[in-house]
Amino acid sequence: MARYIGPKSRISRRFGEAIFGPDKVLEKRNYPAGQHGNNRRKKSSEYGLMLAEKQKAKYSYGVLERQFRNLFEKASKMSGVTGEVLLQLLESRLDNVVYRLGIAPTRAAARQLVSHKHIVVDGAVVNIPSYSVKPGQIVAVREKSKSLEVIEASLSGFNHSKYPWIEWDESQKAGKYLHVPDRADIPENIKEQMIVELYSK
């Protein structure tokens, strides 16, 4: 499946946020890349700001344009505030749920674990990162994958209580998706209303 595989620090520096996870380069140089990156303070247009929010959301969740557009169309047809519903759909993706459960340190790592069949949903292997997890479903590490070093390292010391919409069972290395998260519980620094306005133009 297509995904962004370019330089991640460059993208994080563009937005001034560690959207792919901890970034040592960003900590040292919190400004856009390039010779004049530290001097560029050009004021963005209203359209530019809206576009930047959409790009930030796409990069944060590891979704490409067509997939993101399809999710927006789906969100716009559902009941509720379109921007919030869009974020809820993104949060319900299997790769994101695996990341939120602490099974993987980043969404990219979570996507890889899913693609390589290390994750099961309600006991059945699911290798589609974009699979939409439903409330009540159990997302777990496959039995033969529980001793993988990357999973053990990621779970070590992870605070499972910070996301109230998921419940973790350490003994089973499994998490239950309790309910769709409220906007206030989604920690991403994304102005979703600007994305709605962009697509409404």
Side-chain angles (χ1 to χ4, degrees):
M1 184 180 289
R3 66 191 190 283
Y4 177 75
I5 56 173
K8 295 180 179 178
S9 289
R10 191 180 186 92
I11 299 299
S12 295
R13 289 175 66 188
R14 183 195 303 172
F15 295 111
E17 296 178 31
I19 59 177
F20 296 108
D23 192 321
K24 292 181 180 178
V25 176
L26 181 67
E27 290 172 12
K28 294 179 181 177
R29 297 187 289 277
N30 188 13
Y31 51 82
Q35 184 178 355
H36 305 290
N38 200 22
N39 299 320
R40 264 183 275 170
R41 291 291 181 268
K42 185 179 178 182
K43 189 175 180 181
S44 295
S45 65
E46 183 183 356
Y47 177 81
L49 291 171
M50 291 188 290
L51 183 62
E53 283 303 311
K54 184 194 74 169
Q55 297 294 81
K56 187 199 296 185
K58 280 170 49 184
Y59 285 124
S60 294
Y61 287 96
V63 180
L64 294 183
E65 180 59 39
R66 182 179 292 181
Q67 228 176 355
F68 193 84
R69 180 77 196 215
N70 288 342
L71 278 173
F72 177 81
E73 295 293 340
K74 183 178 179 179
S76 65
K77 294 173 184 175
M78 296 171 68
S79 60
V81 180
T82 300
E84 290 184 20
V85 175
L86 173 63
L87 289 184
Q88 289 169 341
L89 289 174
L90 288 165
E91 284 290 328
S92 298
R93 284 171 53 98
L94 180 56
D95 54 358
N96 182 76
V97 173
V98 169
Y99 166 66
R100 294 294 191 206
L101 285 169
I103 297 171
T106 64
R107 288 189 181 90
R111 172 187 286 269
Q112 191 171 45
L113 288 176
V114 174
S115 298
H116 291 182
K117 301 182 179 180
H118 295 299
I119 302 298
V120 295
V121 178
D122 288 343
V125 173
V126 177
N127 65 341
I128 303 169
S130 61
Y131 174 87
S132 182
V133 183
K134 304 295 187 297
Q137 289 191 307
I138 305 292
V139 176
V141 179
R142 194 175 181 181
E143 190 61 40
K144 69 176 186 178
S145 305
K146 288 182 178 179
S147 60
L148 280 178
E149 189 175 331
V150 64
I151 293 175
E152 289 188 335
S154 182
L155 286 171
S156 178
F158 186 82
N159 177 17
H160 287 97
S161 64
K162 61 182 176 179
Y163 302 121
W165 66 92
I166 49 181
E167 184 178 74
W168 179 251
D169 183 339
E170 178 60 33
S171 64
Q172 299 295 319
K173 281 192 169 54
K176 187 174 184 179
Y177 188 68
L178 300 173
H179 58 81
V180 175
D182 295 326
R183 177 61 185 100
D185 293 326
I186 299 174
E188 301 305 321
N189 181 27
I190 295 170
K191 299 180 181 71
E192 64 274 9
Q193 184 55 36
M194 295 182 79
I195 299 172
V196 176
E197 291 172 10
L198 175 68
Y199 278 126
S200 300
K201 282 187 173 294

